[in-house]
Structure formats: structure tokens, C-alpha cells
């Protein structure tokens, strides 16, 4: 079994190495990760400049490791198409900080995992719910369990699991819940300053605003103090809205027809 490990916290992040450590005796592990922290870049891909990848000489515990001057998604694309080739599992993490609710839209951890998912490779994004998380052992062991399920064929593509763990000692975790994404947004994310010449804005993590609905990832983490596992897919079609838009084409058609009727 071959496992690709990446992240958005950068190749030196302890969370990544905790994952490698837990996986390397059940599989061949290769690390391809950004050379710096790039949390929040989502699934962005570098299209306007070359992307360099450097094999890190002093790879930890002999694991082949590449540091990439690119985004988490770049790392997976490069790995799967050039540096590594076919893998049986993609792991993104272990991330410092939860990726719940709408976080998945900007999460570099999930952004990387989506590239594996799009290539039909079972993919896992895994995070510990504390920005200053230092406890990765439980997440690492859980990851090993997931890898074994993939190995045994009980988890098959298309598969993208977004896993979050509460940042508490293992004995305080009450269980594991399969969940759906919560509704969460942030307010007060923009602060303003002045560098002496002109004003600037800084977009930062604001105050989270959420409704804790039963069965959601935030509910599992905060109310139940459980591990949350949310299956994701890349189809963002708002299925429930489809029928309410039935009349829209007829309403818009006159504008289209008028434009078509104009002289070329
Ligand atoms: Mn991160």
C-alpha cells in the first residue's frame, strides 16, 4: 500500500509527521507538502508561475519527502502526476485547527484532499480542533485505522472523509459520529490599519457564528465531544433550489433573444 501525505500547515508541521509516524509501518509513505504554512488557500492551484519541488535531503525517518513552492492542491497534483504516481490513499493533515462547516470551502487541508478525490483516490482530510493543537497521537491512530479500512477494501472511492477531533486527551473523547457539515460563518473578520502611508485591511479569523444542529460536525465536536467524520463530495449543486428556479429561463430568455437580435 502506498500513501501520499500532504497538508496546508507546511512540511515542518508536527501534525504531518505524527501522521507519517503512524502510517509508515503499514504502508510506503511519501510526503509532498508545501514548504511553508498556507492555511486558508482552499483548492487554489498555481497557474501563473512554475512550481518547484525540492526533495528534502534530511528526510525524517527515511521517508521520501518533497517540499513544494506551491499550494496544497499543487502538491497533490505534482505528486500524483509526476513525483510519486499512483497511490492507494491520500492523507491531508493532521491540521492544526478544526475544518468544520463552511471552513471546508477555504481549507487548504480539504483543498488538497479534493485533488485526490477528483483522481479517484480515497482521500482523508484530518484536523484537530485547536489552532494551537499539540496533541496529534489520537488523530494519528485513527488515521491508521482508516488506512487499514482502505487496505482491506471496506472504504472505496469515490471517498473524501473530513475528520475532526476534539483537542482533549484520548480518554475524554466520547466516541465517533458520522456527521454532516454545520452552518458556520465568521463575523468581524476584517481589521483595518495604517502603515504610515496608506490604510490597509487584514482578513483574519473572526468570531465564529454557528447554530449547533444535531448531527452536524460542530455538534459532534462541541456538544458530544466526539470525533466527527463527514463524507464530502465535490458536487456543489443546490439540489433543493433546482425546482424553485424552473421559471427562471423563461424570465431571462427575452434578454438573451434581444442580444441575439442585435446586428453583428
Ligand atoms: Mn492549516
Amino acid at each position: 500500500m502506498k500513501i501520499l501525505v500532504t497538508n496546508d500547515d507546511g512540511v515542518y508541521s508536527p501534525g504531518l509527521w505524527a501522521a507519517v509516524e503512524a502510517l509508515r509501518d503499514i504502508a510506503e509513505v511519501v510526503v509532498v507538502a508545501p514548504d511553508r504554512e498556507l492555511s486558508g488557500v482552499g483548492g487554489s492551484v498555481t497557474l501563473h508561475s512554475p512550481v518547484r519541488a525540492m526533495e528534502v535531503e534530511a528526510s525524517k525517518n527515511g521517508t521520501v519527502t518533497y517540499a513544494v513552492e506551491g499550494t496544497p492542491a499543487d502538491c497533490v497534483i505534482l505528486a500524483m502526476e509526476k513525483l510519486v504516481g499512483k497511490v492507494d490513499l491520500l492523507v491531508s493533515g493532521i491540521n492544526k485547527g478544526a475544518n468544520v462547516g463552511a471552513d471546508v470551502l477555504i481549507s487548504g487541508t480539504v483543498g488538497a484532499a479534493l485533488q485526490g478525490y477528483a483522481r479517484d483516490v480515497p482521500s482523508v482530510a484530518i484536523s484537530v480542533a485547536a489552532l494551537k493543537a499539540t496533541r496529534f497521537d489520537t488523530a494519528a491512530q485513527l488515521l491508521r485505522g482508516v488506512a487499514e479500512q482502505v487496505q482491506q477494501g471496506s472504504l472505496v472511492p469515490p471517498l473524501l472523509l473530513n475528520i475532526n477531533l476534539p483537542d482533549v486527551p484520548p480518554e475524554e473523547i466520547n466516541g465517533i459520529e458520522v456527521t454532516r457539515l454545520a452552518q458556520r460563518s465568521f463575523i468581524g473578520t476584517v481589521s483595518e490599519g495604517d502603515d504610515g502611508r496608506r490604510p490597509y485591511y487584514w482578513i483574519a479569523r473572526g468570531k465564529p457564528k454557528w447554530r449547533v444542529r444535531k448531527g452536524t460536525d460542530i455538534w459532534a465536536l462541541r456538544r458530544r465531544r466526539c470525533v466527527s467524520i463527514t463524507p464530502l463530495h465535490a458536487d456543489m449543486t443546490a439540489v433543493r433550489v433546482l425546482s424553485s428556479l424552473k421559471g427562471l429561463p423563461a424570465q431571462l430568455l427575452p434578454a438573451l433573444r434581444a442580444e441575439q437580435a442585435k446586428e453583428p
Side-chain angles (χ1 to χ4, degrees), residues 8-9 37 39 95-96 109:
D8 76 354
D9 291 338
E37 200 209 317
S39 294
N95 188 60
K96 287 185 180 187
T109 308

Side-chain angles (χ1 to χ4, degrees), residues 239-260:
V239 175
R240 274 175 292 184
V241 181
L242 279 175
S243 62
S244 72
L245 294 183
K246 266 189 191 137
L248 190 61
Q251 285 158 356
L252 295 179
L253 210 53
L256 175 66
R257 292 287 181 246
E259 191 58 27
Q260 287 170 330

Side-chain angles (χ1 to χ4, degrees), residues 178-181 213-217 219-220:
V178 174
T179 59
R180 52 187 303 143
L181 293 176
R213 287 223 174 97
K214 197 179 168 202
T216 62
D217 46 9
W219 167 82

Side-chain angles (χ1 to χ4, degrees), residues 131 184-190 203-210:
L131 287 175
R184 174 162 94 155
S185 55
F186 287 91
I187 47 169
T189 55
V190 179
I203 300 174
R205 207 178 178 86
K207 227 178 137 188
K209 208 179 98 184
W210 60 56

Side-chain angles (χ1 to χ4, degrees), residues 221-241:
L221 281 176
R222 295 183 66 94
R223 285 282 164 80
R224 304 264 304 120
R225 205 181 272 191
C226 281
V227 175
S228 164
I229 301 181
T230 310
L232 301 179
H233 64 167
D235 180 358
M236 289 181 71
T237 310
V239 175
R240 274 175 292 184
V241 181

Side-chain angles (χ1 to χ4, degrees), residues 19-223:
V20 172
E21 199 55 51
L23 296 171
R24 71 193 192 97
D25 62 337
I26 59 163
E28 181 192 345
V29 179
V30 183
V31 172
V32 182
D35 64 352
R36 68 202 74 184
E37 200 209 317
L38 286 168
S39 294
V41 301
S44 72
V45 174
T46 303
L47 298 177
H48 303 284
S49 59
V51 181
R52 291 181 209 283
M54 198 174 69
E55 187 164 354
V56 179
E57 290 283 334
S59 298
K60 253 193 187 173
N61 56 38
T63 304
V64 174
T65 303
Y66 293 89
V68 176
E69 294 176 17
T71 67
D74 290 341
C75 291
V76 177
I77 296 169
L78 279 193
M80 291 187 178
E81 296 191 11
K82 282 288 169 199
L83 304 173
V84 183
K86 197 186 152 0
V87 297
D88 304 292
L89 172 66
L90 166 67
V91 168
S92 184
I94 301 164
N95 188 60
K96 287 185 180 187
N99 277 305
V100 290
D103 294 345
V104 302
L105 296 173
I106 64 160
S107 162
T109 308
V110 175
L114 274 164
Q115 289 295 335
Y117 173 81
R119 286 168 174 74
D120 228 22
V121 173
S123 300
V124 178
I126 183 163
S127 309
V128 175
L131 287 175
K132 294 194 173 110
T134 52
R135 224 187 309 260
F136 299 111
D137 288 6
T138 315
Q141 288 314 309
L142 204 70
L143 201 50
R144 190 188 155 101
V146 171
E148 284 166 344
Q149 294 298 310
V150 171
Q151 203 164 28
Q152 290 160 19
S154 41
L155 287 173
V156 293
L159 181 80
L160 172 47
L161 299 181
N162 185 40
I163 303 179
N164 283 275
L165 286 89
D167 186 39
V168 296
E171 65 274 14
E172 290 178 27
I173 296 180
N174 290 323
I176 300 172
E177 297 277 358
V178 174
T179 59
R180 52 187 303 143
L181 293 176
Q183 306 280 331
R184 174 162 94 155
S185 55
F186 287 91
I187 47 169
T189 55
V190 179
S191 63
E192 201 175 343
D194 197 303
D195 65 4
R197 287 177 301 170
R198 53 198 171 155
Y200 65 82
Y201 302 96
W202 195 291
I203 300 174
R205 207 178 178 86
K207 227 178 137 188
K209 208 179 98 184
W210 60 56
R211 252 188 297 168
V212 184
R213 287 223 174 97
K214 197 179 168 202
T216 62
D217 46 9
I218 294 177
W219 167 82
L221 281 176
R222 295 183 66 94
R223 285 282 164 80

